Amino acid sequence: MANFKLPLSGDVAQTINPWTAVFSPYGGQFGLININLGRSSAPRVEEDVLADVGSYGKQLGRIGDAMAVLLKHFHPQCELTAEERAALDALTAMLNEIDAIKRRHNRQVAAP
């Protein structure tokens, strides 16, 4: 017999633990998509920022773009320590890797 599946009816595996669902307020899945924001001192503020301003990725992307601009124009007045230089080099390398991924997905890159 042939294996026939309707659209959106692929294989699904879900572990169901009745103890977690009953006794843990965060153990069950109550929506189609659930996002765990972790512990926050102001979860409502965080929720509004995510809804109205941008996702964590967008926020970090803008911070990274601004850091790339600052690094481009950074001319220290005194010699950096090895640890400071390593921190800036690691940030620059990470921003370059992110830019490469953005280019691969035809997304705009802040630095040339």
Side-chain angles (χ1 to χ4, degrees), residues 25-104:
Y26 300 108
Q29 178 174 343
F30 299 106
L32 180 61
I33 298 172
N34 290 315
I35 299 172
N36 182 358
L37 299 177
R39 295 181 185 206
S40 174
S41 61
R44 297 287 181 222
V45 172
E46 194 164 345
E47 182 180 338
D48 287 349
V49 169
L50 289 171
D52 299 340
V53 177
S55 67
Y56 293 124
K58 181 169 278 302
Q59 293 175 49
L60 286 171
R62 289 184 178 168
I63 292 169
D65 292 346
M67 289 302 298
V69 171
L70 294 175
L71 286 172
K72 186 176 181 180
H73 297 282
F74 177 63
H75 303 291
Q77 295 180 354
C78 60
E79 189 70 26
L80 297 176
T81 66
E83 293 83 13
E84 292 169 336
R85 174 54 50 201
L88 291 179
D89 290 345
L91 176 62
T92 301
M94 183 183 70
L95 292 173
N96 289 335
E97 290 176 25
I98 292 169
D99 286 349
I101 292 170
K102 286 181 179 180
R103 284 187 187 96
R104 213 171 49 226

